[in-house]
Amino acid sequence: MEKILADKLNERNRLVSLPFEEKLTLLEKMRDRSLLIQRPTVVTVSGAAVEFEELHAHSQARHSVPSSPCPRPPPPRRG
Amino acid sequence: MKETQNTLTVINKMRDAGIFGNYAIGGAVAATFYIEPTSTYDIDIFIPFENVPGSSLVSLDHIYNYLIPLGYKSQGAHFIIGGWQVQFLPAEDDLYKEALLQAVEIQVGGVKTWVMTAEHLMAIALRTGRAKDLIRLEQFVRYNKFDTKKLNEILERHSFVEKWQQFNDKYIRSSK
């Protein structure tokens, strides 16, 4: 554990001592990575998990009553 | 770094065109000049405060009118320039005005620009006091990237001595 912490500290010290130009390159990379994570992802739902009509009804309710929370559809019944 | 260079080149052109006077980079990008890089989405550009007659608001019309015809896009409070979201902020009080006046000239790949001093960034972080500001402040202290005398003068001038002592008691002395 101490070695891990020491390595981290060394890495942070290395980053601090980098020339500003190199730090900016890192900033640009970090920014791009963050923006990539932040982008809305396409959610795919299998047809077996959610019945289409139910999903549609919830979608309609969400549009018609924006302030009301949209309840999650019940889990599919088994057996 | 190319993107940042492009961004700064555009900002320098705006300055040369008289859209604003001297400017200084603040926030996370400026702090990165002194301490370790931290993730940020935008570049904060502090510009001289110019009050709109009859209004308490600062007009960014001249910035908008310069950038939009050149094809740059605005997004909320930001303009997209050279891959960066750039926010133009007015240096509206004594601390920001002083930080702007005393900003340090540096070169970024041959492009001239100005960043706020470490001591001013620390004073601003202390005043703003969000979690990320306190982390930044702790890093300045940890890496000893400031001039104690200069910082003390700024803290006294802007009445932050007590706040600084509280910060030290809570985060610096307790961790030693």
Side-chain angles (χ1 to χ4, degrees):
Chain A
M1 187 64 186
E2 277 180 15
K3 190 185 177 312
I4 293 170
L5 290 174
D7 286 349
K8 278 199 169 188
L9 190 64
N10 286 339
E11 174 60 9
R12 291 179 78 175
N13 287 332
R14 187 187 71 82
L15 289 173
V16 172
S17 60
L18 285 176
F20 188 46
E21 278 90 349
E22 285 185 42
K23 289 182 184 179
L24 284 175
T25 305
L26 284 173
L27 274 190
E28 288 175 3
K29 282 183 184 171
M30 285 194 278
R31 177 205 60 197
D32 291 344
R33 208 176 300 149
S34 305
L35 288 173
L36 203 64
I37 294 165
Q38 204 185 37
R39 265 179 211 148
T41 50
V42 177
V43 178
T44 55
V45 181
S46 82
V50 180
E51 289 176 27
F52 174 74
E53 283 182 13
E54 195 173 26
L55 185 69
H56 180 68
H58 283 296
S59 167
Q60 290 292 313
R62 192 165 47 215
H63 289 301
S64 60
V65 191
S67 59
S68 66
C70 182
R72 296 182 66 175
R77 289 181 186 170
R78 294 184 183 180
Chain B
M1 192 193 62
K2 195 77 189 160
E3 287 183 350
T4 311
Q5 273 178 284
N6 292 341
T7 305
L8 295 174
T9 302
V10 173
I11 292 167
N12 285 346
K13 277 183 187 167
M14 293 172 77
R15 177 180 173 269
D16 295 342
I19 304 302
F20 42 78
N22 291 338
Y23 73 87
I25 304 174
V29 174
T32 295
F33 183 67
Y34 303 97
I35 54 175
E36 62 189 277
T38 47
S39 186
T40 182
Y41 296 110
D42 62 357
I43 299 184
D44 295 334
I45 301 291
F46 287 85
I47 56 175
F49 177 74
E50 285 169 30
N51 213 347
V52 180
S55 167
S56 60
L57 298 171
V58 176
S59 172
L60 294 178
D61 281 357
H62 45 312
I63 293 174
Y64 192 88
N65 292 338
Y66 179 89
L67 289 173
I68 298 301
L70 291 175
Y72 295 100
K73 303 266 183 275
S74 66
Q75 192 178 72
H78 296 87
F79 290 92
I80 311 298
I81 307 173
W84 277 104
Q85 296 179 22
V86 179
Q87 185 165 22
F88 293 96
L89 298 156
E92 60 188 350
D93 63 25
D94 289 344
L95 179 59
Y96 281 127
K97 277 180 196 164
E98 190 183 285
L100 182 58
L101 279 172
Q102 295 182 17
V104 184
E105 183 183 318
I106 60 162
Q107 295 279 332
V108 176
V111 180
K112 188 163 71 173
T113 192
W114 290 263
V115 294
M116 288 181 177
T117 66
E119 296 79 18
H120 282 106
L121 289 169
M122 289 175 77
I124 290 167
L126 186 68
R127 182 174 66 178
T128 314
R130 296 164 299 180
K132 64 179 182 180
D133 297 306
L134 300 180
I135 290 169
R136 192 177 296 162
L137 205 46
E138 189 270 338
Q139 288 180 355
F140 273 107
V141 176
R142 181 205 302 225
Y143 300 116
N144 197 22
K145 291 285 181 182
F146 65 103
D147 181 316
T148 309
K149 186 171 173 284
K150 270 188 197 169
L151 178 67
N152 286 339
E153 284 169 3
I154 293 169
L155 295 174
E156 278 175 27
R157 209 162 34 241
H158 299 281
S159 311
F160 293 135
V161 175
E162 197 183 326
K163 219 169 180 181
W164 175 245
Q165 282 166 353
Q166 286 169 356
F167 170 80
N168 266 287
D169 290 343
K170 197 168 180 183
Y171 299 105
I172 306 298
R173 289 192 192 110
S174 62
S175 65
K176 282 181 181 171

